[in-house]
Amino acid sequence: MSPSHIHVPSHCRTVTEILSRVGDKWSVQVVVQMGEGPKRFNELRRLVTGISQRMLTLTLRSLERDGLVTRTVYPTIPPRVDYQLTGLGCSLLKTVRGLGEWAIANRDEILEARRRFDEGGETPGQRSDAA
């Protein structure tokens, strides 16, 4: 997609909606945890620190609705339910991992920019006459 296609109003709404859904705190963590393979609900709950049972349920349902996760119920007693990334979910995982690698690679520069900003200094690229 060329840069000129990014600013089409309907595309902006679509991108904003999808990024809000898949970029929230819990979705990212759940997707990352499922990157190693299928997980059961309680396993995910243990792995995703701080998530409540209700929030994990809502997150998994949303990810399933968006086609990022499949839910497989096995007819055992008690029933066994596994959650697994779909192909689309795996492509999101690849993007999330890339963003994580970018964050790690640029952490020191970002922390330095924050320090300069908090001290009232200019950050690189900042104009003195900016309002």
Side-chain angles (χ1 to χ4, degrees):
M1 179 182 301
S2 70
S4 64
H5 291 102
I6 293 174
H7 298 293
V8 175
S10 63
H11 291 175
C12 290
R13 284 189 296 274
T14 300
V15 169
T16 299
E17 175 191 344
I18 292 171
L19 287 180
S20 293
R21 173 66 246 139
V22 300
D24 72 73
K25 173 184 179 178
W26 300 121
S27 293
V28 168
Q29 291 184 53
V30 168
V31 166
V32 168
Q33 292 302 329
M34 283 195 286
E36 301 300 319
K39 300 282 188 275
R40 296 178 76 173
F41 184 91
N42 285 328
E43 184 179 8
L44 283 168
R45 191 162 174 216
R46 282 190 304 275
L47 292 169
V48 181
T49 305
I51 195 167
S52 68
Q53 181 173 335
R54 180 177 184 279
M55 186 52 65
L56 180 55
T57 298
L58 293 173
T59 300
L60 287 167
R61 283 184 185 160
S62 293
L63 292 170
E64 185 179 8
R65 180 177 182 249
D66 290 343
L68 301 167
V69 168
T70 58
R71 179 178 183 266
T72 305
V73 180
Y74 297 94
T76 60
I77 304 216
R80 176 181 167 181
V81 179
D82 285 348
Y83 296 89
Q84 184 171 7
L85 293 177
T86 63
L88 186 61
C90 289
S91 70
L92 174 61
L93 175 62
K94 182 178 177 183
T95 301
V96 167
R97 284 183 173 158
L99 184 58
E101 290 167 4
W102 177 88
I104 291 166
N106 292 285
R107 181 177 187 269
D108 292 340
E109 187 175 344
I110 291 168
L111 292 174
E112 178 60 22
R114 287 178 183 173
R115 184 193 61 74
R116 283 192 310 271
F117 182 89
D118 292 346
E119 290 175 356
E122 290 187 9
T123 56
Q126 182 182 17
R127 296 184 344 204
S128 298
D129 61 348

